[in-house]
Amino acid sequence: MTHATAPPQWLTDLVQRIEGKPIEWFSRLLPPPGEGGRQSAVLIMFGPGPYGSEVVLTERAHTMRSHAGQVSFPGGGQEPGDASPSATALREAQEEIDLDPAEVRVLAELPALHLAVSGYDVTPVLAWWHQPGVIRVREPDEVKQVLRVPVAHLIDPDQRFRVRHPSGYTGPAFGVHSVVVWGFTAGLLDRILDLAGLAQPWDASVVREVN
């Protein structure tokens, strides 16, 4: 069994800074007034790795009805037995990537954000993987692969750019191995790394097309 580790100072500081930020700072995708969508949650889980802190992401199965093949945080829709957004995020992560909730320390719940494409109101749950065990693809119909991405890779200016989608969407993105992290996930990572004081200057004039 691995020994429990404390979160790095930047993550502890990040939790304190989150409390003072308005919801609009995290995203323009706010729930419509009086029109709450289906509640869901995603797990933004950082943990120790061989190259420093890393974050856990998943590449969605390419057969999914929505967001097929995109990189996302583990998570999904709230179920009646879930006591909180954190419970939803941990349950979904256990079902998708076999994560043991006992290994995870929840640090904060961010304001719920709206995904118009799927109609979900998504609560991002920030967490620290204090006692990492084994994670793997448990639901291949939902997850193609699990990615453990070093934070050092995400803040590398050479891995930063913007993407443009045929829908008209343009936003920040990250190059991660053979995939591109963009959309909702990249937007949250961009905000979190910036608020944590880790982001480095990068060339926002570089724009790549995505489908």
Side-chain angles (χ1 to χ4, degrees), residues 42-179:
V42 294
L43 186 67
I44 307 177
M45 184 177 71
F46 292 92
Y51 304 103
S53 298
E54 56 188 21
V55 66
V56 175
L57 301 171
T58 64
E59 181 183 1
R60 292 169 63 85
H62 290 235
T63 54
M64 295 287 287
R65 288 181 297 177
S66 63
H67 308 292
Q70 292 187 19
V71 177
S72 64
F73 300 109
Q78 183 185 64
E79 293 188 356
D82 296 338
S84 65
S86 294
T88 297
L90 290 172
R91 176 186 53 73
E92 286 285 338
Q94 185 174 35
E95 293 175 1
E96 292 179 357
I97 62 173
D98 215 16
L99 175 71
D100 183 351
E103 300 171 352
V104 183
R105 176 183 168 189
V106 172
L107 301 175
E109 293 181 356
L110 278 63
L113 306 172
H114 185 68
L115 284 181
V117 174
S118 58
Y120 281 88
D121 290 343
V122 185
T123 299
V125 177
L126 186 65
W128 173 248
W129 199 11
H130 65 85
Q131 198 163 1
V134 176
I135 52 177
R136 61 183 178 86
V137 174
R138 185 174 175 181
E139 288 289 346
D141 290 340
E142 297 182 15
V143 178
K144 180 180 179 181
Q145 66 172 322
V146 180
L147 303 167
R148 296 176 62 168
V149 185
V151 171
H153 181 94
L154 294 174
I155 63 176
D156 181 352
D158 290 338
Q159 307 303 325
R160 299 295 313 269
F161 48 92
R162 292 192 301 151
V163 296
R164 181 167 49 233
H165 188 267
S167 66
Y169 169 86
T170 302
F174 302 81
V176 174
H177 307 309
S178 61
V179 298

